[in-house]
Amino acid sequence: MPNQPIGLLDPREWEEIKPSWKPASPKRSSGRRLSLRVLARPFSITLPTLLPSTTIEPGKIRPTAYLDGLRGFAALLVYWHHHQLWAHAATHQSELFEDGFGYDDKYHLAAFHGIRTFFTGGHYAVSTFYVISGYVLSAKPLSFIQEQDHVRLGDNVASALFRRWLRLYLPLIVVTFLYMTSWHVFGLWATNANPQGSWSEELRSWYIEFKNFSFIYNLGGEPWISYHYHAWSIQIEFKGSIVIYSCILAFSRLTKNARLFCQVALIFYFLYVADGWYAAMFVSGMLLCDLDLLSARHELPRLFYTFPSAKSLIFYHLLAFSVYLGGVPSVNADVNRIKQARGWYYLSYLKPQAVFDYKWFYLFWAATLLVASIPRVPPLRRFFETRFCQYLGRISFSFYLVHGPILWTLGDRLYTTTGWYREADSDHLSGWANKFPLPKTGPLGLEVAFLAPHFILLPLTIYSAEVVTRLVDQPSVRLAQWLYQSLLPRSGRC
């Protein structure tokens, strides 16, 4: 049967990851070739599939495939951001990346407006994650609301809410468990690790910390888990998901205009009344999705049909504003610091009183404008629909999870080898220090000694993300689906 084109409201369109995904299987053959293929099958699960076996026809690409590509490319920016700061902390240059261009009379290409996105675009990328999540999580429920199919809406939200914790935290459980186990099994030392005396003590410490971290209403302790400092965003992802599901149900019976108004009002509340920047990002994604679905049904409010001839011009400018705001200086939460950065003095006065860490206010607008603009900027949309970006999108969650442990173990050792090391590294990794020294020549962030380790680190991180996607992430999705289905009542019993 030929492949059916996937429409905007097709259920498969809104799955975060396709649990039924499998590599394209070649046609069966007989004899020795078949036997070898059967023997090799257990090993094929660890082989990356960067290039699909078939060519995607232009007319059959999914309407929102660009969101997958954007999410994948954003994960790559997070990887690059963390590596830049980690390596350059050894030479006390980290602040040069996150300060504004020209701050304290320091001028580096890596800190220039727009260009800085490709060096320290991690915060911009995480904000984009949240807006995309708000869009994706609300897409199917909003389609049911617009169709006034409240029965299917209830079924959809119930299933999604049941599975959400498992989908987000099961992969994190596996990755952090293996990471902390490696300290004791292989005797690995990591700068940010504080191993317990034995593996059993470590297991207990890990359990206590994780169960507190993963409790959504936990008000004490640090906003991250010490076994994976980057996982703070996963906790925020779960909180934002609850916001979306709550809004979906609360607004499901409202009129179209009332629903849109309530979403805008919530965004205002989360930015200007309460310090709920992450919730504002999720709701803005929901709002963008609602508008896109209404546009597909030709039911947008009359306001959005104003200036149709200027649509392209408007969105190109919104994209430029997004990139500029996405480069907000972020060394600390002191808004007075960005007043001294070129191009940010007057913008600093826009920060609302409610937002404690000013960068998230500017990043809200940056991420919202980015997600809104990309589908209306054809060259950029085509870029995010390329095979490479689509592949990164498929492994993006696992890529985010594994890049930290790889950086803190092998990455730290390779940087120490090429000349980037702290005092703690020289004490614990003395055998690695300057083992293969390379010159730190080149522009800031593009030094030879910094780039060389990535010939190993980047392929290894992508490969590890592929393996975790297949062995952990996809099975976690399937497990959550199976568990929910198995707990539903069967006909004739409760």
Side-chain angles (χ1 to χ4, degrees), residues 271-291:
L271 283 180
Y272 294 92
V273 180
D275 191 4
W277 55 267
Y278 66 89
M281 292 176 184
F282 274 83
V283 177
S284 74
M286 177 182 175
L287 178 61
L288 293 177
C289 180
D290 206 349
L291 293 173

Side-chain angles (χ1 to χ4, degrees), residues 72-132:
F73 192 79
L76 184 61
L77 289 182
V78 171
Y79 163 92
W80 200 245
H81 184 162
H82 287 153
H83 277 269
Q84 291 282 3
L85 298 188
W86 183 270
H88 290 87
T91 52
H92 308 288
Q93 293 178 299
S94 295
E95 291 189 357
L96 297 179
F97 290 91
E98 297 201 310
D99 261 325
F101 180 75
Y103 179 82
D104 199 22
D105 292 326
K106 294 185 174 70
Y107 303 91
H108 297 277
L109 184 65
F112 191 72
H113 310 291
I115 296 175
R116 64 187 293 121
T117 298
F118 299 100
F119 291 87
T120 52
H123 299 307
Y124 189 14
V126 169
S127 303
T128 303
F129 288 157
Y130 295 153
V131 176
I132 291 176

Side-chain angles (χ1 to χ4, degrees), residues 189-191 412-413 416 422-433:
W189 175 86
T191 303
D412 194 24
R413 285 157 173 79
T416 301
R422 308 169 180 81
E423 182 178 349
D425 294 323
S426 60
D427 293 338
H428 293 86
L429 303 175
S430 56
W432 294 76

Side-chain angles (χ1 to χ4, degrees), residues 57-79:
E57 298 180 21
K60 291 186 177 181
I61 192 168
R62 294 179 296 111
T64 54
Y66 68 90
L67 286 177
D68 294 329
L70 175 59
R71 179 168 51 188
F73 192 79
L76 184 61
L77 289 182
V78 171
Y79 163 92

Side-chain angles (χ1 to χ4, degrees), residues 17 52 153 179 217 226 262 329 333 358 371 429 459 464 474 477 479 485:
I17 192 169
L153 171 65
Y179 179 50
Y217 299 112
S226 66
C262 286
Y358 66 84
V371 175
L429 303 175
S464 300
Q474 292 172 342
V477 174
L479 175 62
Q485 290 295 327

Side-chain angles (χ1 to χ4, degrees), residues 181-337:
T181 299
S182 70
W183 303 344
H184 297 273
V185 174
F186 302 109
L188 289 179
W189 175 86
T191 303
N192 56 3
N194 185 25
Q196 303 297 315
S198 66
W199 182 83
S200 59
E201 293 177 8
E202 197 75 65
L203 182 64
R204 184 176 184 275
S205 174
W206 169 78
Y207 164 73
I208 293 174
E209 191 170 339
F210 186 88
K211 58 99 173 174
N212 291 335
F213 168 77
S214 60
F215 178 50
I216 188 174
Y217 299 112
N218 182 29
L219 299 178
E222 300 290 350
W224 53 73
I225 181 172
S226 66
Y227 294 93
H228 201 307
Y229 290 98
H230 302 158
W232 67 270
S233 62
I234 295 177
Q235 185 185 69
I236 296 295
E237 184 78 32
F238 186 60
K239 291 180 178 180
S241 302
I242 301 301
V243 170
I244 290 297
Y245 298 139
S246 301
C247 291
I248 287 292
L249 292 178
F251 303 157
S252 61
R253 303 280 179 168
L254 304 184
T255 64
K256 174 187 69 178
N257 289 338
R259 184 177 69 248
L260 295 175
F261 173 79
C262 286
Q263 291 175 66
V264 173
L266 263 185
I267 291 173
F268 179 87
Y269 172 79
F270 287 133
L271 283 180
Y272 294 92
V273 180
D275 191 4
W277 55 267
Y278 66 89
M281 292 176 184
F282 274 83
V283 177
S284 74
M286 177 182 175
L287 178 61
L288 293 177
C289 180
D290 206 349
L291 293 173
D292 281 347
L293 294 176
L294 289 172
S295 177
R297 298 164 64 95
H298 305 288
E299 295 178 1
L300 280 173
R302 191 174 305 171
L303 171 67
F304 292 91
Y305 294 104
T306 310
F307 309 117
S309 60
K311 176 181 175 181
S312 178
L313 179 66
I314 290 173
F315 281 104
Y316 271 91
H317 281 79
L318 291 180
L319 175 63
F321 293 148
S322 169
V323 173
Y324 189 93
L325 294 175
V328 57
S330 54
V331 170
N332 54 39
D334 183 8
V335 72
N336 292 316
R337 184 152 183 164

Side-chain angles (χ1 to χ4, degrees), residues 169-190:
Y169 283 108
L170 283 182
L172 180 61
I173 288 174
V174 174
V175 170
T176 53
F177 176 82
L178 294 176
Y179 179 50
M180 69 91 174
T181 299
S182 70
W183 303 344
H184 297 273
V185 174
F186 302 109
L188 289 179
W189 175 86

